[in-house]
Amino acid sequence: MIRKGKIQQENLQKLIKNTLQQDAKNTLKNQMGTIYAKKTQKEILLENADDVIEMIRQAKSYEDIQEKYCVHAKYVADFITSSEYSVRAREAQKESAETYFVKAEKAILEIDSLDTNAKVTRQKELASHYRWAARVKNPSRFGDSTTLRGDNEAPLNPSVNVILNK
């Protein structure tokens, strides 16, 4: 009889322990669910705005930002174009152009005379891509010039001729 009671007591202890563990797990799941359910992807980016802007400044891709904060690309694009931090984000994009330009320069400088044609072609393509990215991020500095400029010796002097007919 003592043996039977001991087995029942052990089973009761296991049952209580399992029940308490299951209750603790369920409570934790509920608490975590309410914490994460309250934050939208947009709010997650806004709460981490300084870090997101720094990632943009360092020329990190949208995919890097998406992966770090578990958000969709649409929200990253919205953060850059239409959030309260959009001015800073766009400025960071312009600054990231310098990073792309440096990457292009490094890609060209890494070409060695002993490299295979495939590696040389790859490095040239990378450099071309980085230069393109720099032009897109900051067209005023790295893009094609769209304004007419003279040089110091022969500056442009625009003039307008008006002919009046009687």
Side-chain angles (χ1 to χ4, degrees):
M1 275 230 194
I2 296 174
R3 187 170 181 208
K4 204 176 202 184
K6 188 174 184 181
I7 292 173
Q8 287 177 347
Q9 185 178 8
E10 287 175 3
N11 287 341
L12 183 60
Q13 287 174 346
K14 286 180 186 176
L15 179 64
I16 291 170
K17 183 178 177 184
N18 289 341
T19 305
L20 289 174
Q21 286 177 344
Q22 191 61 40
D23 286 344
K25 284 180 185 176
N26 289 338
T27 303
L28 184 60
K29 281 182 184 177
N30 290 339
Q31 288 175 349
M32 295 302 282
T34 55
I35 289 171
Y36 289 113
K38 289 181 182 178
K39 293 189 183 187
T40 64
Q41 293 182 27
K42 182 179 178 181
E43 290 171 335
I44 291 170
L45 289 174
L46 291 176
E47 283 181 2
N48 297 289
D50 291 332
D51 190 40
V52 172
I53 289 170
E54 187 56 33
M55 289 179 77
I56 293 168
R57 185 173 284 111
Q58 294 171 356
K60 300 290 184 187
S61 68
Y62 278 23
E63 289 152 0
D64 292 337
I65 297 169
Q66 285 175 251
E67 189 176 301
K68 183 170 182 177
Y69 294 106
C70 300
V71 296
H72 192 271
K74 173 189 180 303
Y75 293 101
V76 177
D78 286 346
F79 176 85
I80 293 170
T81 59
S82 61
S83 73
E84 59 198 65
Y85 296 99
S86 62
V87 173
R88 286 178 53 203
R90 282 188 297 240
E91 196 60 36
Q93 272 188 323
K94 281 185 178 181
E95 292 171 17
S96 74
E98 184 69 33
T99 304
Y100 284 114
F101 186 75
V102 169
K103 284 182 179 182
E105 207 171 32
K106 283 182 182 177
I108 294 294
L109 293 174
E110 286 176 2
I111 296 174
D112 189 7
S113 61
L114 301 176
D115 286 341
T116 63
N117 282 341
K119 185 170 181 187
V120 170
T121 303
R122 179 181 179 276
Q123 292 301 102
K124 285 181 179 179
E125 286 298 320
L126 280 172
S128 175
H129 172 72
Y130 292 142
R131 283 192 302 268
W132 171 83
R135 276 195 308 270
V136 169
K137 300 289 183 182
N138 193 348
S140 63
R141 178 151 184 230
F142 298 106
D144 297 330
S145 178
T146 57
T147 58
L148 296 175
R149 296 184 194 117
D151 59 14
N152 290 337
E153 295 174 13
L156 291 177
N157 293 320
S159 62
V160 176
N161 294 330
V162 178
I163 300 173
L164 299 173
N165 290 332
K166 290 186 182 185

